[in-house]
Amino acid sequence: MSNELKRGLEGVLVAESELSYIDGEAGKLGYRGYAIEDLATQASYEEVLYLLWHGELPTRAELEAFSENLAAERSVDDEVLAAVADLARSGADPMDALRTAVSMLPTYDPEADADAEDLAATRRQGRRITAKIPTILAAFDRVRRGEEPLDPADDLGYAGNFLYMLTGARPDDVAEETFDMALTLHADHGLNASTFASMVIASTMADIYSSVIGGIGALSGPLHGGANEDVMEMLEEIDESGTDPVEWATAAREEGRRIPGYGHRVYRVKDPRAEILEQRLRDLSASNDDTKWLDYTTAIEEYLADQGLLEEGIAPNVDFYSGSVYDHLGIPTDMYTPIFAMARAGGWIAHVLEYQTDNRLIRPRARYTGPTDVEFVPIDER
């Protein structure tokens, strides 16, 4: 056995998976063999969930039944919503509110006592979690804005229903399609930190709620989630200061400041998800007759390319464009990471289901570097 230290487990293989394929050198991403470009533009988020959880794309009849079952679980118990409202009025962070609310859900789950080895029950619990997260997040944001939460709209899909519950207006086709696409792009991405955290918890045969809560906790860290919020804050800073985007980026680099939304642990070229969202930003900008964010982001990207960052393997990631897309959809900046969690919960659940089919407790070791053979001195003699 090698004793070579791999900080952050970088490059260490700990599992086999059929869920996500990532080629960081070529900029490719696929779910169960399907290219992300095809799934994002031709499949709904519900279809992608079915693919991740069941291993194949659904027939139309299977999708209709799956979507109906998912929609039927959207309502959240009054006690949970009351807690969410209290957190909203207290000024809580949305990710804290989401983590707290999800931790309450098993109290009201009729299968809360199901054995973790019962993967069919785990899948049903995962469906409930996935269905209820949008309701929780929309209620939180509406209450803190002094508005009443809205009941889910049964005639809208997963993406459209969230936008309706959040804004109070039924989204147009462009908005609903764009948000659905964004959810698909964020649904899964290999053994990232939050997915691995979920799997570690699941490997103890804890319930799926514990795994999702762990994923939310990992995603709340600034080194994993939150970069699209940073990008949006950068764009707003540029706009409010009246600075030319290229001048801002030049000054930031001279000051040693990091450009948010740039670079990725895996991709050495432009993130394929960024390519797709850039095009959606162009479509939204044209539809809304507002190209400000598009102009800023493309100017910065062109400048950084001229500076040779692409040759260094530093390119735009998915966050560089997702924030601008969400802003066009009327989504508050501090809701971006919770939305990431909403989309990625489907991936967390898929990895738990996959791993627990052949479970082994994840138990790495650390190299001890402290002292040895230290003589103990009783407390009265110290």
Side-chain angles (χ1 to χ4, degrees):
M1 180 181 295
S2 172
N3 289 321
E4 182 184 358
L5 179 64
K6 296 281 190 177
R7 293 189 62 81
L9 297 181
E10 186 166 1
V12 176
L13 290 174
V14 299
E16 293 182 331
S17 176
E18 297 181 353
L19 294 169
S20 290
Y21 169 76
I22 305 169
D23 185 335
E25 298 294 331
K28 292 184 178 180
L29 170 64
Y31 300 161
R32 292 194 182 274
Y34 294 95
I36 193 62
E37 292 82 1
D38 292 335
L39 293 174
T41 58
Q42 300 183 59
S44 66
Y45 181 63
E46 287 92 332
E47 285 180 81
V48 171
L49 284 179
Y50 190 100
L51 172 67
L52 291 174
W53 294 357
H54 294 275
E56 58 187 9
L57 288 171
T59 64
R60 183 164 297 281
E62 289 170 336
L63 178 61
E64 288 177 357
F66 179 82
S67 299
E68 288 175 4
N69 289 333
L70 189 65
E73 302 283 6
R74 289 174 179 170
S75 295
V76 175
D77 291 271
D78 291 343
E79 292 84 354
V80 178
L81 286 179
V84 169
D86 287 342
L87 289 166
R89 296 187 190 100
S90 71
D93 180 87
M95 285 292 279
D96 292 341
L98 177 61
R99 186 184 64 243
T100 300
V102 173
S103 72
M104 296 178 67
L105 293 181
T107 304
Y108 307 93
D109 190 320
E111 295 184 284
D113 295 329
D115 193 314
E117 294 183 355
D118 184 349
L119 294 183
T122 297
R123 187 177 286 107
R124 290 191 294 271
Q125 290 176 320
R127 184 178 70 206
R128 294 182 190 113
I129 296 169
T130 305
K132 296 178 192 306
I133 285 178
T135 307
I136 290 167
L137 292 177
F140 175 87
D141 187 61
R142 289 186 68 82
V143 169
R144 69 176 178 173
R145 289 187 280 118
E147 299 177 349
E148 287 294 317
L150 296 175
D151 293 330
D154 294 336
D155 61 333
L156 289 174
Y158 191 86
N161 174 64
F162 174 73
L163 292 177
Y164 162 71
M165 289 191 297
L166 184 75
T167 66
R170 297 177 72 86
D172 61 28
D173 291 343
V174 174
E176 183 172 7
E177 180 182 282
T178 298
F179 190 61
D180 184 275
M181 183 180 295
L183 293 175
T184 289
L185 294 175
H186 288 86
D188 194 43
H189 205 250
L191 290 194
N192 53 82
S194 58
T195 298
F196 187 59
S198 297
M199 284 177 55
V200 170
I201 294 169
S203 78
T204 71
M205 299 309 289
D207 64 24
I208 189 66
Y209 287 98
S210 299
S211 292
V212 171
I213 293 164
I216 294 169
L219 190 61
S220 68
L223 295 185
H224 187 13
N228 50 9
E229 295 182 25
D230 295 338
V231 172
M232 201 65 233
E233 290 170 0
M234 172 190 73
L235 297 177
E236 290 171 346
E237 178 184 330
I238 293 170
D239 190 53
E240 292 170 3
S241 66
T243 307
D244 178 83
V246 172
E247 292 178 1
W248 185 95
T250 301
R253 295 197 74 204
E254 290 174 349
E255 295 166 6
R257 296 170 61 188
R258 186 179 66 85
I259 305 296
Y262 253 75
H264 194 277
R265 187 75 169 262
V266 178
Y267 293 114
R268 304 297 293 171
V269 295
K270 189 171 181 178
D271 188 329
R273 300 168 298 174
E275 298 274 11
I276 296 168
L277 285 176
E278 179 185 357
Q279 184 56 55
R280 293 310 295 180
L281 178 58
R282 292 182 182 279
D283 295 340
L284 286 169
S285 298
S287 176
N288 299 338
D289 195 25
D290 181 1
T291 65
K292 180 170 59 177
W293 300 145
L294 175 65
D295 294 340
Y296 290 0
T297 51
T298 53
I300 293 172
E301 182 175 353
E302 291 171 3
Y303 162 73
L304 293 177
D306 291 340
Q307 296 300 301
L309 263 67
L310 291 178
E311 286 77 7
E312 299 174 25
I314 303 173
N317 59 46
V318 66
D319 297 308
F320 193 65
Y321 283 99
S322 61
S324 300
V325 167
Y326 293 157
D327 185 73
H328 273 284
L329 297 177
I331 298 171
T333 303
D334 67 351
M335 294 293 284
Y336 294 175
T337 304
I339 286 171
F340 190 167
M342 182 171 80
R344 185 57 58 84
W348 296 333
I349 293 162
H351 279 274
V352 168
L353 290 167
E354 181 182 56
Y355 192 77
Q356 288 188 335
T357 59
D358 186 22
N359 190 76
R360 182 171 177 79
L361 178 66
I362 297 174
R363 197 342 185 148
R365 297 183 63 187
R367 179 185 295 152
Y368 179 70
T369 59
T372 58
D373 301 324
V374 178
E375 182 180 356
F376 179 78
V377 178
I379 190 168
D380 292 333
E381 298 177 20
R382 294 175 202 163

